[in-house]
Amino acid sequence: MFGKGASSSKSMEIIGSEKKISVLIVDDDPIIRKIHSALLSKFTKEIQEVKNGKEAVDLCRSGASFDIIFIDKEMPIMNGLEATKELRAMGVNSTIVGVTSCDLSSERNDFIAAGQNQCYEKPLTIEKIKSLLSELNKNN
Amino acid sequence: MERSQLLRQVAHQRQTLFDEGLLDEQFVQLEELQDRTNPNFVEEIVTTYYQDTSRLILNIEQELERRPLDYGRLDGYMYQFKGSSTSFGAKKVKAECSLFREYCRAGNGEGCMRTFQQLNREYATLKRKLEAYFQLARQARLTETASRPG
């Protein structure tokens, strides 16, 4: 009646049951933050959320570090591309994943040039997260 | 109402939302995130959506009364509206948002106003049908709790 229901244990297998992945969600849309947080909670409990690029930069500057940063492109105060450039300039080595509602193909170059590792069209799905985490596991 | 009858009704109402093109696959993705620790997740998302977008609707209404129309500003509001609508699978509302943005890009004020009226209709219809669905689904969950052995 309410859908199949994702199995958390299957999701945790993807990242290895011992390793804790920490993620930061950066998006000005509270609905997207809520959805992405619920989605990522199937894979990890270490999740933080902020509303724009400046809050993300300030958080990292204050000493917080994350394995993966999911960053929206269009945000007030500081957008995703600016924040990515700033984070990389600060020496942040996290995997940075751009998330956008715009046409991805035209923006991919902008994302990569800014220093992002990957980009997806909004909204994220369980499949996109699984494929991202598998890719990260392979590279590690 | 007998429990199995209630469950059949819930399933039927849910399917109708998809058959009538009101919702798409993204809604199913959200349902998959719902579980015992988060049993009202989908309803919470929809509630947040309607709270958030009511503000946007007001802003757009005000903008549509200005002369000349600021298409850039209108497009900006509608970009947000479309993003939120896409995130939970509001298929018809999303389509009207896209159409509105096309009219903005073409500088077509009449088209914008016509589309906005249609968008409001789709938005209200979806809200009404989702509220009815969630109410029935809540009833079904209550009968499930009641029928569990103590």
Side-chain angles (χ1 to χ4, degrees), chain A residues 1-6 29-32 34-35 38-39 42 72 74 100-102 122-127, chain B residues 7 10 14 26 29-35 38 41 44-45 48-49 52 79 84 86-87 133 137 140-141:
Chain A
M1 167 168 63
F2 298 116
K4 285 170 277 194
D29 186 339
I31 301 169
I32 289 288
K34 221 171 165 117
I35 292 173
L39 215 158
K42 300 290 184 191
D72 182 22
E74 304 284 345
T100 176
S101 3
C102 304
K122 255 194 233 194
L124 294 172
T125 60
I126 289 173
E127 286 314 310
Chain B
L7 289 176
V10 173
R14 178 186 173 275
Q26 185 53 28
Q29 288 280 331
L30 295 195
E31 286 176 319
E32 293 191 354
L33 297 177
Q34 194 157 275
D35 57 24
N38 221 349
F41 177 68
E44 283 170 18
I45 293 292
T48 306
Y49 169 77
D52 231 41
Y79 170 83
S84 298
T86 306
S87 69
Y133 166 66
R141 273 204 297 275

Side-chain angles (χ1 to χ4, degrees), chain A residues 51-65:
Chain A
K51 294 195 299 287
N52 58 58
K54 183 170 186 309
E55 287 187 13
V57 166
D58 289 346
L59 190 56
C60 291
R61 192 165 277 137
S62 75
S65 73

Side-chain angles (χ1 to χ4, degrees), chain A residues 42-109:
Chain A
K42 300 290 184 191
F43 299 88
T44 178
K45 297 299 168 208
E46 317 254 341
I47 302 171
Q48 282 193 59
E49 301 173 27
V50 290
K51 294 195 299 287
N52 58 58
K54 183 170 186 309
E55 287 187 13
V57 166
D58 289 346
L59 190 56
C60 291
R61 192 165 277 137
S62 75
S65 73
F66 303 93
D67 294 300
I68 312 176
I69 300 175
F70 291 93
I71 194 158
D72 182 22
K73 189 188 176 218
E74 304 284 345
M75 290 180 291
I77 303 175
M78 189 188 285
N79 69 34
L81 293 181
E82 287 163 0
T84 301
K85 286 177 190 164
E86 189 118 357
L87 289 168
R88 288 303 187 214
M90 276 163 56
V92 169
N93 290 327
S94 314
T95 297
I96 300 182
V97 178
V99 185
T100 176
S101 3
C102 304
D103 173 25
L104 191 59
S105 51
S106 63
E107 294 178 352
R108 184 171 278 273
N109 290 338

